[in-house]
Amino acid sequence: MRVLLPVAFTLSALILVPPPIRSEPPQAAPAVPLKTDVEKAKLIAHLEERIPALMKEADVPGLAIALVRDGELVWHRGFGVKNSKTRDPVDDTTVFEAASLSKPVFAYAVLKLVDAGKFDLDKPLNKYLPGNFDVDDDRLNKITARHVLTHTTGFSNGYTGKTRKMFFAPGERFSYSGDGFEYLWKVIEHVTGEPLDHFVRRMAFEPLGMTRTSFTWLDAYDKSKAGRHNRIGEPTGQGKPPPERAKQGNLFRLHTTAEDYGRFVIATLKGTGLKPETHKLWLTPQVRVREGGASSIDRPEAKPVPDVAWGIGWGLQTTKDGASFWHWGDSGDSKAFVVAFNKPELAVVYFTNSANGLSIAREIVAEAVGGAQPGLDWLDYERYNSPRRALFKLILAKGATVALREYRANDSTRPAADAITENQMNNMGYDLLSLKRVDDALEVFKLNLKLHPDSWNAYDSLAEGYEAAGDKATAIKNFKKSLELNPKNENAVEHLKKLEDKTGTNPPAPAKPPAADPSEGVGAFLRGQMQRLRIPGLQVAVVQDGKIVHLGAYGVANVEHAVPVTNETVFSINSATKSFTGVAIMQLVEDGRVDLAAPVSRYLGGLPREWQAVTVRQLLSLTSGIPGISVEGGDEAAAWAKVQTLPMEFAPGERFGYSQTNYLLLGRIIDKLQGQPFTRFISERQFQAVKMPRTGFGDSADVVPHGAQAYTTLQSIGGQYRRTDTLKRRFDEFPPSLRTAAGINTTAEELARWIIALQQGRLLKTKTSLTTLWAPVALNSGQPSGWALGWPARVRSEHRAVAGIGGMRSAFFVYPDDDLAVVILTNLSGACPEDVIDEVAGHYIPDMRASTGFGLPPAIKAVHIELTKRGFGHAVEVVEDAKKRGAKVELPEADVDAWGYRLLNLGHVKEAVEIFKLNVHLYPKSANTYDSLAEAYETAGDKVSAIAHFKRSLELNPKNNNAIEHLKKLEADSAKSNSP
């Protein structure tokens, strides 16, 4: 298993990756004199010759550097390429990732706020911003800005859980922490009322002339930003955030140039914009760092480093050359470094687009400014000419067999300091696997095991090498040995599951090619939906024949912190909670406590007279006519009093009407009959019965362990919700009395287990009860209401379904006749997974795929099938030909419109456009047909046609607010794109 650097997990691109923790202090590099007497022209000429050579030796594709002498920016220059594939050159305007070089800039902006009398470094932060910052520790009350800026908060450097942990009391010792800076970032935004980028731009970027610097992604960066590269020189992307995050400021994502940052270094040297006493404070040591690396959360015994301290946002060092400040930046595949001597105002800053960028830091600094660098000694990054890198290059040149033989030949004479560690050897093997040099990787892994025979990880990595080579039997053998040494090795467990499934003792004879795995198609389809609808995170579970046959987790649970979705991530299911309430009532029916046909007045007294005859069945199916309750300001009692004064919306059973009051009453029935809160009854009889440990009740005000942050792109336009280009956080409030209607949080896997338990009779005792639960409730007219008992019902001639649907972000469908169920949970309101679940089911039941016309009215289905043969561009022609042949073609406007939107929801934009064109052809005087076609053109990116058709819709219906709002946006976008 590849061993990552400490705490470099999924936030490695956001929070600085610290160097490895060491048990022994590093050896100080020999210092060279300060370059104060070297003539500027000669120094620059030397650097222009030396830097490309260093870059070549270290496999660094691109670098930008700025040099400050006597407090002036005397030189800045770009070298190499932005991208090793495209070979676009780096120049003076190339933008790089600054990583944690952002922290001194942020500290400067905060100090200016202090000078303005608007902020106090020593006032507890939660006095400015109330709340617990996801921390369950009273010591949070003591954290100040000074603690954050000096890395003495007690936080770690990045966390993946729902709750942050404090490892020591604030001010106790130094331990590098991005979490602390994130806390202060949120506080400053609250205090100033400004987004991060606006605040720092006003305080620093604009006053200091840092014109190409930003905490947000600027459009110009598409061309000017250097791409990242891994240790073997492969491009790993530009680091551009997804569209919904591109304009959101991120403290750990500073984009800048060497020239711009050089200006900031000069401002630091001179104290530009700060009071003299504040400037002095900025560069005054506050705390000594600890031996062994940047993190000391679990090393209280680590000794302070004599010459290295931390000031307000800067690392500080004092040597015979005088005082200097410094910082490093490491976002994985891009790295940076800066150091500046206070006197004689001498500094260098450089940025690279490579994971190897800090391997040449000592050389760059020595050649550019000189002087002792205890900060670099403390960081102790691997050098570009290290024994590991030398061996790796030898393997690439001669192959592992020869190279390792030469390496081992020097074992007896090799100094201990030059020995390659287990982790270095391990990662070298993985680098070779990345280059598809599997045989060489195997030789490296074998040697590592020989040198470290008691290491579980050496066996694990060798097993992965054999797996890559196709030797499954040997892979299994080594994974098992790894598990013997470390029974908690989850990597080995997962690989063994996969390998032993594929190497069963009685594999079937290959009589015919295996069928395609439906799960692969599901994953590809859902990833496409996520990209099209900009869904941050998603889980899926598929149940077939009483077993979970597919689980998937995609994207991020939290956009701001890039926390990935896993199968353990918890999502809100909003109104799909009603399905659980339906099961709860049916359990009481089986217990003889409730009669579905009984009036609600049998169970609850004091209700308005008009409500009393409503039956329990009508409450569950939302056919009661009882008016809806609206809780404003959290005052449930006032809302309850008010709703009882409202008239009935319709006679009971007359029609369907969505009203949460129905489920409030059902909750009160459970409370009264059970003598306990309905939440406890549902938890005991369902969550605990099925073993759903992550499932519970709550809303956005509650701390939900492993909970996904909710987002939305929806905006109310013309009385309807429409998707926009803006991603916003969504905060849901589910009053306690209404949590029978909405309020459950769970995972796709636990929902799938709940569905299986329901079908297998572990929640309801009889099949009759389950049939009753899922039977569509009829209206007084005999027509179906569209709902069963807490479950929306998809009534159709084939593949009927019952569902749980909530918040336009979560849904599950059960297909009782097909022994199939699909669960999709997302954290985007507007994802509407209920629109695509049938298509997911179609990967397991092919005749349910949209391409077959499944679910369409018969006449439209016939046209759909014909168009799949002839092409949707022939839609009008197909319909008119049928009419000429005398066929009776009934294509109601609403059905055609729904057909078009179904295609649009599935991402078939071109086909949708053609269907909406057909509707315009059939109903040329309908404002809505033009409006729908306009929306399809807008989705397709054809703004001109969209504008024309929205205008035509307005001519036919001047009150079409939807068209008005869309036109405002489209015409504003057009004006912006046409401006010089």
Side-chain angles (χ1 to χ4, degrees):
M1 181 169 65
R2 183 189 286 270
V3 177
L4 300 177
L5 295 178
V7 301
F9 53 96
T10 56
L11 295 185
S12 63
L14 300 179
I15 297 178
L16 182 145
V17 181
I21 295 172
R22 301 176 300 275
S23 58
E24 297 293 334
Q27 297 297 314
V32 299
L34 285 177
K35 303 282 186 177
T36 52
D37 297 326
V38 180
E39 182 180 336
K40 180 179 72 174
K42 289 184 178 179
L43 177 61
I44 291 173
H46 174 71
L47 290 172
E48 289 187 334
E49 178 182 358
R50 180 72 174 125
I51 288 174
L54 284 170
M55 292 170 62
K56 183 177 180 180
E57 284 290 318
D59 295 319
V60 174
L63 179 150
I65 187 171
L67 184 66
V68 175
R69 288 168 66 98
D70 297 320
E72 295 183 1
L73 187 62
V74 298
W75 178 66
H76 56 89
R77 169 77 191 276
F79 296 87
V81 295
K82 299 175 186 175
N83 183 293
S84 61
K85 299 295 185 184
T86 65
R87 310 302 297 176
D88 293 331
V90 172
D91 59 28
D92 288 353
T93 66
T94 299
V95 173
F96 285 78
E97 287 187 30
S100 279
L101 264 62
S102 64
K103 291 180 173 67
V105 180
F106 180 59
Y108 172 75
V110 171
L111 288 174
K112 290 188 75 174
L113 203 62
V114 171
D115 275 355
K118 298 179 179 180
F119 198 70
D120 186 343
L121 289 179
D122 297 310
K123 181 177 178 178
L125 295 183
N126 63 5
K127 298 295 184 182
Y128 289 106
L129 179 62
N132 67 355
F133 192 53
D134 296 333
V135 177
D136 186 19
D137 193 318
D138 289 339
R139 293 177 294 184
L140 179 76
N141 300 325
K142 298 180 180 180
I143 292 179
T144 67
R146 189 186 300 270
H147 291 135
V148 170
L149 296 170
T150 58
H151 295 285
T152 57
T153 60
F155 286 134
S156 63
N157 186 45
Y159 82 110
T160 56
K162 186 68 177 178
T163 304
R164 289 176 173 85
K165 183 178 179 181
M166 293 185 66
F167 293 85
F168 53 84
E172 181 179 305
R173 63 180 184 272
F174 175 95
S175 188
Y176 196 92
S177 171
D179 279 10
F181 271 76
E182 182 186 356
Y183 188 18
L184 183 56
W185 160 21
K186 301 305 180 187
V187 170
I188 292 298
E189 285 189 336
H190 179 75
V191 169
T192 63
E194 296 178 280
L196 171 71
D197 189 71
H198 291 189
F199 166 66
V200 182
R201 186 169 301 282
R202 177 169 60 85
M203 292 291 190
F205 302 159
E206 292 178 353
L208 301 181
M210 300 170 71
T211 57
R212 296 187 176 91
T213 302
S214 178
F215 279 111
T216 63
W217 185 272
L218 304 180
D219 292 340
Y221 292 169
D222 288 342
K223 293 184 178 180
S224 65
K225 176 102 172 3
R228 303 164 171 172
H229 297 79
N230 61 21
R231 289 189 305 181
I232 57 178
E234 297 172 327
T236 56
Q238 204 179 22
K240 181 177 180 179
E244 63 269 17
R245 288 193 301 164
K247 302 304 179 184
Q248 296 176 5
N250 190 319
L251 180 57
F252 310 115
R253 279 278 178 86
L254 180 67
H255 313 284
T256 190
T257 65
E259 180 183 11
D260 272 9
Y261 207 90
R263 298 184 192 281
F264 174 69
V265 172
I266 293 170
T268 306
L269 287 166
K270 297 183 179 299
T272 305
L274 295 176
K275 294 178 180 179
E277 60 269 26
T278 306
H279 180 224
K280 181 179 179 180
L281 171 67
W282 193 12
L283 302 180
T284 297
Q286 306 287 312
V287 62
R288 295 286 170 189
V289 303
R290 298 297 181 105
E291 289 181 352
S295 174
S296 67
I297 57 174
D298 55 354
R299 299 184 299 110
E301 74 287 349
K303 297 178 181 179
V305 177
D307 299 327
V308 184
W310 221 262
I312 305 297
W314 280 110
L316 304 174
Q317 53 191 12
T318 304
T319 67
K320 63 181 180 62
D321 300 305
S324 58
F325 56 86
W326 63 278
H327 214 293
W328 84 111
D330 182 344
S331 60
D333 289 346
S334 59
K335 289 181 170 62
F337 189 79
V338 58
V339 63
F341 288 85
N342 301 355
K343 295 178 182 180
E345 295 191 333
L346 181 66
V348 65
V349 59
Y350 80 93
F351 300 90
T352 74
N353 59 354
S354 170
N356 302 323
L358 285 170
S359 71
I360 54 176
R362 297 178 188 275
E363 287 70 22
I364 294 285
V365 172
E367 304 278 5
V369 296
Q373 301 296 328
L376 277 173
D377 295 336
W378 174 68
L379 291 176
D380 198 29
Y381 272 86
E382 182 184 22
R383 305 284 288 274
Y384 74 98
N385 55 359
S386 70
R388 184 201 69 83
R389 289 184 59 83
L391 177 58
F392 183 70
K393 290 185 176 183
L394 190 63
I395 291 173
L396 294 182
K398 297 184 177 182
T401 302
V402 174
L404 294 177
R405 186 186 308 128
E406 292 181 10
Y407 174 76
R408 295 302 306 277
N410 297 317
D411 280 355
S412 60
T413 59
R414 182 182 299 109
D418 289 344
I420 298 174
T421 68
E422 177 190 347
N423 285 347
Q424 288 176 336
M425 188 75 76
N426 186 65
N427 287 335
M428 192 190 321
Y430 281 103
D431 287 343
L432 290 165
L433 282 181
S434 297
L435 292 172
K436 310 300 183 185
R437 296 184 62 155
V438 180
D439 291 340
D440 288 336
L442 272 172
E443 293 304 314
V444 170
F445 289 138
K446 287 177 184 177
L447 174 59
N448 210 25
L449 179 59
K450 185 174 183 179
L451 296 173
H452 306 280
D454 296 324
S455 168
W456 64 268
N457 194 56
Y459 279 99
D460 186 279
S461 297
L462 178 58
E464 287 196 29
Y466 278 120
E467 186 177 10
D471 186 348
K472 296 177 183 178
T474 310
I476 290 172
K477 176 182 175 182
N478 283 277
F479 276 129
K480 288 183 175 179
K481 180 60 178 176
S482 177
L483 271 176
E484 289 176 15
L485 295 170
N486 178 12
K488 295 182 179 181
N489 180 3
E490 295 181 0
N491 184 66
V493 172
E494 292 303 315
H495 278 270
L496 281 170
K497 284 180 182 178
K498 177 183 173 184
L499 287 166
E500 290 178 333
D501 283 347
K502 293 184 177 180
T503 56
T505 55
N506 296 302
K512 53 184 178 181
D517 182 1
S519 298
E520 295 180 6
V522 168
F525 171 71
L526 290 176
R527 283 189 290 269
Q529 287 293 110
M530 292 177 70
Q531 181 177 2
R532 187 175 65 82
L533 298 177
R534 297 185 296 122
I535 301 171
L538 180 149
Q539 281 179 345
V540 61
V542 179
V543 175
Q544 191 172 36
D545 299 327
K547 297 179 181 179
I548 298 175
V549 296
H550 176 60
L551 283 176
Y554 312 96
V556 293
N558 184 292
V559 172
E560 295 89 327
H561 307 304
V563 178
V565 173
T566 68
N567 289 331
E568 288 74 42
T569 301
V570 175
F571 292 82
S572 171
I573 64 171
N574 291 63
S575 287
T577 300
K578 293 179 176 69
S579 300
F580 284 80
T581 303
V583 172
I585 293 295
M586 282 306 302
Q587 289 175 327
L588 292 177
V589 170
E590 288 190 327
D591 293 345
R593 311 290 301 280
V594 169
D595 181 348
L596 294 174
V600 65
S601 57
R602 177 184 296 182
Y603 307 104
L604 300 175
L607 299 177
R609 182 176 54 82
E610 295 85 354
W611 298 12
Q612 294 177 13
V614 169
T615 66
V616 175
R617 179 179 278 107
Q618 289 168 339
L619 293 177
L620 285 165
S621 60
L622 299 172
T623 58
S624 71
I626 292 174
I629 189 170
S630 178
V631 179
E632 298 177 359
D635 193 339
E636 296 176 65
W640 172 242
K642 180 179 179 180
V643 74
Q644 294 181 85
T645 68
L646 300 177
M648 293 285 283
E649 294 182 350
F650 51 83
E654 183 179 278
R655 55 187 172 88
F656 172 85
Y658 202 84
S659 164
Q660 307 288 38
T661 315
N662 292 280
Y663 279 76
L664 181 150
L665 294 171
L666 291 167
R668 292 192 173 197
I669 291 173
I670 297 172
D671 291 350
K672 184 174 181 180
L673 293 179
Q674 290 302 115
Q676 64 179 5
F678 63 79
T679 52
R680 186 185 304 170
F681 177 71
I682 292 174
S683 296
E684 292 176 354
R685 293 284 294 269
Q686 296 186 60
F687 304 163
Q688 294 176 25
V690 183
K691 297 182 179 178
M692 302 167 71
R694 296 181 179 86
T695 302
F697 289 90
D699 61 14
S700 296
D702 296 304
V703 176
V704 179
H706 306 290
Q709 169 63 48
Y711 302 91
T712 186
T713 56
L714 296 177
Q715 180 181 348
S716 181
I717 300 175
Q720 292 183 312
Y721 281 107
R722 300 291 187 184
R723 294 186 177 100
T724 68
D725 296 329
T726 304
L727 183 74
K728 296 181 180 179
R729 280 189 171 210
R730 177 186 172 98
F731 297 93
D732 291 306
E733 181 181 355
F734 304 130
S737 63
L738 289 172
R739 291 187 178 179
T740 40
I744 287 179
N745 303 284
T746 187
T747 70
E749 180 179 9
E750 292 193 357
L751 260 178
R753 293 210 304 267
W754 177 75
I755 291 169
I756 292 170
L758 190 57
Q759 292 179 306
Q760 292 181 345
R762 288 187 278 135
L763 292 175
L764 296 178
K765 301 172 185 175
T766 68
K767 289 186 178 179
T768 301
S769 294
L770 185 60
T771 300
T772 300
L773 177 73
W774 286 345
V777 174
L779 300 174
N780 296 341
S781 63
Q783 294 296 312
S785 66
W787 267 61
L789 303 184
W791 298 66
R794 295 295 171 98
V795 180
R796 50 202 182 193
S797 60
E798 51 184 355
H799 306 300
R800 67 185 178 97
V802 288
I805 299 172
M808 292 185 283
R809 65 180 180 188
S810 297
F812 48 89
F813 279 26
V814 178
Y815 302 90
D817 302 330
D818 302 295
D819 209 357
L820 182 74
V822 177
V823 180
I824 298 179
L825 308 182
T826 82
N827 56 352
L828 180 73
S829 181
C832 298
E834 60 271 20
D835 291 341
V836 301
I837 284 186
D838 279 343
E839 186 70 7
V840 172
H843 285 78
Y844 298 85
I845 304 174
D847 66 352
M848 290 181 66
R849 299 294 294 270
S851 58
T852 68
F854 170 72
L856 296 173
I860 288 182
K861 182 175 182 179
V863 176
H864 180 97
I865 292 172
E866 184 64 22
L867 293 179
T868 59
K869 301 174 183 176
R870 296 179 56 179
F872 278 74
H874 297 282
V876 173
E877 178 185 339
V878 166
V879 171
E880 292 303 320
D881 284 350
K883 289 180 179 179
K884 290 177 183 177
R885 293 195 304 270
K888 187 177 180 181
V889 181
E890 293 184 359
L891 302 176
E893 177 188 343
D895 289 352
V896 178
D897 193 61
W899 179 19
Y901 276 108
R902 181 184 182 189
L903 291 167
L904 208 57
N905 289 335
L906 291 170
H908 305 319
V909 180
K910 292 181 180 179
E911 291 84 352
V913 167
E914 297 303 326
I915 297 309
F916 288 129
K917 283 182 182 179
L918 170 64
N919 219 16
V920 167
H921 171 77
L922 296 173
Y923 303 97
K925 295 183 179 180
S926 167
N928 190 61
T929 61
Y930 285 95
D931 185 275
S932 297
L933 178 55
E935 287 194 12
Y937 276 128
E938 185 178 9
T939 303
D942 186 349
K943 295 181 180 179
V944 174
S945 297
I947 290 172
H949 285 81
F950 276 128
K951 287 182 175 179
R952 177 56 181 157
S953 178
L954 272 177
E955 290 174 7
L956 294 167
N957 177 13
K959 295 182 179 181
N960 181 358
N961 290 327
N962 182 65
I964 292 170
E965 294 300 323
H966 277 273
L967 279 172
K968 284 181 183 178
K969 180 180 182 299
L970 286 165
E971 290 175 335
D973 290 346
S974 296
K976 184 184 294 186
S977 62
N978 292 330
S979 62

